[in-house]
mmCIF file with all atom_site columns, all heavy atoms in Angstrom:
data_model
loop_
_atom_site.group_PDB
_atom_site.id
_atom_site.type_symbol
_atom_site.label_atom_id
_atom_site.label_alt_id
_atom_site.label_comp_id
_atom_site.label_asym_id
_atom_site.label_entity_id
_atom_site.label_seq_id
_atom_site.pdbx_PDB_ins_code
_atom_site.Cartn_x
_atom_site.Cartn_y
_atom_site.Cartn_z
_atom_site.occupancy
_atom_site.B_iso_or_equiv
_atom_site.pdbx_formal_charge
_atom_site.auth_seq_id
_atom_site.auth_comp_id
_atom_site.auth_asym_id
_atom_site.auth_atom_id
_atom_site.pdbx_PDB_model_num
ATOM 1   N N   . ARG J 1 421 ? -0.216 7.745  5.809  1.00 82.00 ? 421 ARG J N   1
ATOM 2   C CA  . ARG J 1 421 ? 1.048  8.177  5.224  1.00 82.00 ? 421 ARG J CA  1
ATOM 3   C C   . ARG J 1 421 ? 0.813  8.643  3.801  1.00 82.00 ? 421 ARG J C   1
ATOM 4   O O   . ARG J 1 421 ? -0.131 8.217  3.135  1.00 82.00 ? 421 ARG J O   1
ATOM 5   C CB  . ARG J 1 421 ? 2.075  7.042  5.235  1.00 82.00 ? 421 ARG J CB  1
ATOM 6   C CG  . ARG J 1 421 ? 2.489  6.594  6.611  1.00 82.00 ? 421 ARG J CG  1
ATOM 7   C CD  . ARG J 1 421 ? 3.352  5.361  6.531  1.00 82.00 ? 421 ARG J CD  1
ATOM 8   N NE  . ARG J 1 421 ? 2.620  4.251  5.922  1.00 82.00 ? 421 ARG J NE  1
ATOM 9   C CZ  . ARG J 1 421 ? 3.176  3.148  5.438  1.00 82.00 ? 421 ARG J CZ  1
ATOM 10  N NH1 . ARG J 1 421 ? 4.486  3.001  5.493  1.00 82.00 ? 421 ARG J NH1 1
ATOM 11  N NH2 . ARG J 1 421 ? 2.456  2.196  4.906  1.00 82.00 ? 421 ARG J NH2 1
ATOM 12  N N   . ILE J 1 422 ? 1.713  9.512  3.326  1.00 83.00 ? 422 ILE J N   1
ATOM 13  C CA  . ILE J 1 422 ? 1.589  10.087 1.988  1.00 83.00 ? 422 ILE J CA  1
ATOM 14  C C   . ILE J 1 422 ? 2.968  10.094 1.349  1.00 83.00 ? 422 ILE J C   1
ATOM 15  O O   . ILE J 1 422 ? 3.973  10.427 1.997  1.00 83.00 ? 422 ILE J O   1
ATOM 16  C CB  . ILE J 1 422 ? 1.011  11.524 2.044  1.00 83.00 ? 422 ILE J CB  1
ATOM 17  C CG1 . ILE J 1 422 ? -0.421 11.499 2.574  1.00 83.00 ? 422 ILE J CG1 1
ATOM 18  C CG2 . ILE J 1 422 ? 1.047  12.191 0.677  1.00 83.00 ? 422 ILE J CG2 1
ATOM 19  C CD1 . ILE J 1 422 ? -1.041 12.860 2.713  1.00 83.00 ? 422 ILE J CD1 1
ATOM 20  N N   . GLU J 1 423 ? 3.022  9.726  0.075  1.00 82.00 ? 423 GLU J N   1
ATOM 21  C CA  . GLU J 1 423 ? 4.264  9.788  -0.668 1.00 82.00 ? 423 GLU J CA  1
ATOM 22  C C   . GLU J 1 423 ? 4.551  11.238 -1.078 1.00 82.00 ? 423 GLU J C   1
ATOM 23  O O   . GLU J 1 423 ? 3.642  11.982 -1.445 1.00 82.00 ? 423 GLU J O   1
ATOM 24  C CB  . GLU J 1 423 ? 4.206  8.919  -1.922 1.00 82.00 ? 423 GLU J CB  1
ATOM 25  C CG  . GLU J 1 423 ? 4.251  7.431  -1.647 1.00 82.00 ? 423 GLU J CG  1
ATOM 26  C CD  . GLU J 1 423 ? 4.289  6.623  -2.923 1.00 82.00 ? 423 GLU J CD  1
ATOM 27  O OE1 . GLU J 1 423 ? 4.141  7.243  -4.000 1.00 82.00 ? 423 GLU J OE1 1
ATOM 28  O OE2 . GLU J 1 423 ? 4.469  5.397  -2.852 1.00 82.00 ? 423 GLU J OE2 1
ATOM 29  N N   . VAL J 1 424 ? 5.836  11.606 -1.027 1.00 85.00 ? 424 VAL J N   1
ATOM 30  C CA  . VAL J 1 424 ? 6.283  12.930 -1.459 1.00 85.00 ? 424 VAL J CA  1
ATOM 31  C C   . VAL J 1 424 ? 7.190  12.734 -2.659 1.00 85.00 ? 424 VAL J C   1
ATOM 32  O O   . VAL J 1 424 ? 8.249  12.103 -2.565 1.00 85.00 ? 424 VAL J O   1
ATOM 33  C CB  . VAL J 1 424 ? 7.021  13.667 -0.328 1.00 85.00 ? 424 VAL J CB  1
ATOM 34  C CG1 . VAL J 1 424 ? 7.522  15.021 -0.827 1.00 85.00 ? 424 VAL J CG1 1
ATOM 35  C CG2 . VAL J 1 424 ? 6.102  13.857 0.863  1.00 85.00 ? 424 VAL J CG2 1
ATOM 36  N N   . LEU J 1 425 ? 6.767  13.281 -3.803 1.00 83.00 ? 425 LEU J N   1
ATOM 37  C CA  . LEU J 1 425 ? 7.516  13.101 -5.039 1.00 83.00 ? 425 LEU J CA  1
ATOM 38  C C   . LEU J 1 425 ? 8.664  14.088 -5.153 1.00 83.00 ? 425 LEU J C   1
ATOM 39  O O   . LEU J 1 425 ? 9.692  13.776 -5.753 1.00 83.00 ? 425 LEU J O   1
ATOM 40  C CB  . LEU J 1 425 ? 6.566  13.245 -6.238 1.00 83.00 ? 425 LEU J CB  1
ATOM 41  C CG  . LEU J 1 425 ? 5.354  12.293 -6.244 1.00 83.00 ? 425 LEU J CG  1
ATOM 42  C CD1 . LEU J 1 425 ? 4.505  12.530 -7.477 1.00 83.00 ? 425 LEU J CD1 1
ATOM 43  C CD2 . LEU J 1 425 ? 5.809  10.841 -6.185 1.00 83.00 ? 425 LEU J CD2 1
ATOM 44  N N   . SER J 1 426 ? 8.518  15.290 -4.615 1.00 84.00 ? 426 SER J N   1
ATOM 45  C CA  . SER J 1 426 ? 9.581  16.291 -4.690 1.00 84.00 ? 426 SER J CA  1
ATOM 46  C C   . SER J 1 426 ? 9.396  17.289 -3.557 1.00 84.00 ? 426 SER J C   1
ATOM 47  O O   . SER J 1 426 ? 8.286  17.477 -3.051 1.00 84.00 ? 426 SER J O   1
ATOM 48  C CB  . SER J 1 426 ? 9.559  17.020 -6.045 1.00 84.00 ? 426 SER J CB  1
ATOM 49  O OG  . SER J 1 426 ? 8.344  17.729 -6.216 1.00 84.00 ? 426 SER J OG  1
ATOM 50  N N   . GLY J 1 427 ? 10.519 17.947 -3.163 1.00 84.00 ? 427 GLY J N   1
ATOM 51  C CA  . GLY J 1 427 ? 10.481 18.973 -2.130 1.00 84.00 ? 427 GLY J CA  1
ATOM 52  C C   . GLY J 1 427 ? 11.139 18.553 -0.835 1.00 84.00 ? 427 GLY J C   1
ATOM 53  O O   . GLY J 1 427 ? 11.520 19.417 -0.044 1.00 84.00 ? 427 GLY J O   1
ATOM 54  N N   . LEU J 1 428 ? 11.283 17.269 -0.575 1.00 86.00 ? 428 LEU J N   1
ATOM 55  C CA  . LEU J 1 428 ? 11.904 16.784 0.659  1.00 86.00 ? 428 LEU J CA  1
ATOM 56  C C   . LEU J 1 428 ? 13.004 15.789 0.330  1.00 86.00 ? 428 LEU J C   1
ATOM 57  O O   . LEU J 1 428 ? 12.981 15.146 -0.726 1.00 86.00 ? 428 LEU J O   1
ATOM 58  C CB  . LEU J 1 428 ? 10.872 16.122 1.573  1.00 86.00 ? 428 LEU J CB  1
ATOM 59  C CG  . LEU J 1 428 ? 9.875  17.034 2.295  1.00 86.00 ? 428 LEU J CG  1
ATOM 60  C CD1 . LEU J 1 428 ? 8.916  16.193 3.120  1.00 86.00 ? 428 LEU J CD1 1
ATOM 61  C CD2 . LEU J 1 428 ? 10.582 18.045 3.175  1.00 86.00 ? 428 LEU J CD2 1
ATOM 62  N N   . HIS J 1 429 ? 13.951 15.679 1.269  1.00 83.00 ? 429 HIS J N   1
ATOM 63  C CA  . HIS J 1 429 ? 15.039 14.725 1.124  1.00 83.00 ? 429 HIS J CA  1
ATOM 64  C C   . HIS J 1 429 ? 15.099 13.850 2.375  1.00 83.00 ? 429 HIS J C   1
ATOM 65  O O   . HIS J 1 429 ? 14.638 14.243 3.456  1.00 83.00 ? 429 HIS J O   1
ATOM 66  C CB  . HIS J 1 429 ? 16.380 15.445 0.928  1.00 83.00 ? 429 HIS J CB  1
ATOM 67  C CG  . HIS J 1 429 ? 16.419 16.318 -0.288 1.00 83.00 ? 429 HIS J CG  1
ATOM 68  N ND1 . HIS J 1 429 ? 15.997 17.629 -0.265 1.00 83.00 ? 429 HIS J ND1 1
ATOM 69  C CD2 . HIS J 1 429 ? 16.810 16.065 -1.563 1.00 83.00 ? 429 HIS J CD2 1
ATOM 70  C CE1 . HIS J 1 429 ? 16.133 18.153 -1.469 1.00 83.00 ? 429 HIS J CE1 1
ATOM 71  N NE2 . HIS J 1 429 ? 16.616 17.235 -2.272 1.00 83.00 ? 429 HIS J NE2 1
ATOM 72  N N   . GLU J 1 430 ? 15.669 12.704 2.200  1.00 82.00 ? 430 GLU J N   1
ATOM 73  C CA  . GLU J 1 430 ? 15.800 11.786 3.321  1.00 82.00 ? 430 GLU J CA  1
ATOM 74  C C   . GLU J 1 430 ? 16.665 12.401 4.407  1.00 82.00 ? 430 GLU J C   1
ATOM 75  O O   . GLU J 1 430 ? 17.734 12.944 4.127  1.00 82.00 ? 430 GLU J O   1
ATOM 76  C CB  . GLU J 1 430 ? 16.408 10.469 2.831  1.00 82.00 ? 430 GLU J CB  1
ATOM 77  C CG  . GLU J 1 430 ? 16.444 9.372  3.882  1.00 82.00 ? 430 GLU J CG  1
ATOM 78  C CD  . GLU J 1 430 ? 16.964 8.071  3.327  1.00 82.00 ? 430 GLU J CD  1
ATOM 79  O OE1 . GLU J 1 430 ? 17.291 8.043  2.119  1.00 82.00 ? 430 GLU J OE1 1
ATOM 80  O OE2 . GLU J 1 430 ? 17.046 7.091  4.085  1.00 82.00 ? 430 GLU J OE2 1
ATOM 81  N N   . GLY J 1 431 ? 16.184 12.363 5.649  1.00 82.00 ? 431 GLY J N   1
ATOM 82  C CA  . GLY J 1 431 ? 16.904 12.945 6.773  1.00 82.00 ? 431 GLY J CA  1
ATOM 83  C C   . GLY J 1 431 ? 16.397 14.298 7.207  1.00 82.00 ? 431 GLY J C   1
ATOM 84  O O   . GLY J 1 431 ? 16.792 14.778 8.280  1.00 82.00 ? 431 GLY J O   1
ATOM 85  N N   . ASP J 1 432 ? 15.549 14.967 6.413  1.00 85.00 ? 432 ASP J N   1
ATOM 86  C CA  . ASP J 1 432 ? 14.982 16.253 6.821  1.00 85.00 ? 432 ASP J CA  1
ATOM 87  C C   . ASP J 1 432 ? 14.081 16.070 8.040  1.00 85.00 ? 432 ASP J C   1
ATOM 88  O O   . ASP J 1 432 ? 13.415 15.038 8.180  1.00 85.00 ? 432 ASP J O   1
ATOM 89  C CB  . ASP J 1 432 ? 14.182 16.878 5.676  1.00 85.00 ? 432 ASP J CB  1
ATOM 90  C CG  . ASP J 1 432 ? 15.082 17.355 4.545  1.00 85.00 ? 432 ASP J CG  1
ATOM 91  O OD1 . ASP J 1 432 ? 16.293 17.468 4.773  1.00 85.00 ? 432 ASP J OD1 1
ATOM 92  O OD2 . ASP J 1 432 ? 14.568 17.609 3.437  1.00 85.00 ? 432 ASP J OD2 1
ATOM 93  N N   . SER J 1 433 ? 14.067 17.098 8.912  1.00 84.00 ? 433 SER J N   1
ATOM 94  C CA  . SER J 1 433 ? 13.197 17.094 10.090 1.00 84.00 ? 433 SER J CA  1
ATOM 95  C C   . SER J 1 433 ? 11.989 17.964 9.802  1.00 84.00 ? 433 SER J C   1
ATOM 96  O O   . SER J 1 433 ? 12.143 19.134 9.419  1.00 84.00 ? 433 SER J O   1
ATOM 97  C CB  . SER J 1 433 ? 13.946 17.613 11.323 1.00 84.00 ? 433 SER J CB  1
ATOM 98  O OG  . SER J 1 433 ? 15.012 16.754 11.658 1.00 84.00 ? 433 SER J OG  1
ATOM 99  N N   . ILE J 1 434 ? 10.797 17.423 9.978  1.00 86.00 ? 434 ILE J N   1
ATOM 100 C CA  . ILE J 1 434 ? 9.567  18.169 9.725  1.00 86.00 ? 434 ILE J CA  1
ATOM 101 C C   . ILE J 1 434 ? 8.691  18.121 10.964 1.00 86.00 ? 434 ILE J C   1
ATOM 102 O O   . ILE J 1 434 ? 8.766  17.186 11.764 1.00 86.00 ? 434 ILE J O   1
ATOM 103 C CB  . ILE J 1 434 ? 8.812  17.611 8.506  1.00 86.00 ? 434 ILE J CB  1
ATOM 104 C CG1 . ILE J 1 434 ? 8.458  16.142 8.717  1.00 86.00 ? 434 ILE J CG1 1
ATOM 105 C CG2 . ILE J 1 434 ? 9.608  17.795 7.234  1.00 86.00 ? 434 ILE J CG2 1
ATOM 106 C CD1 . ILE J 1 434 ? 7.617  15.555 7.594  1.00 86.00 ? 434 ILE J CD1 1
#
Side-chain angles (χ1 to χ4, degrees):
R421 295 172 299 164
I422 295 178
E423 288 184 353
V424 178
L425 303 180
S426 62
L428 287 179
H429 300 87
E430 187 176 0
D432 290 345
S433 296
I434 59 176

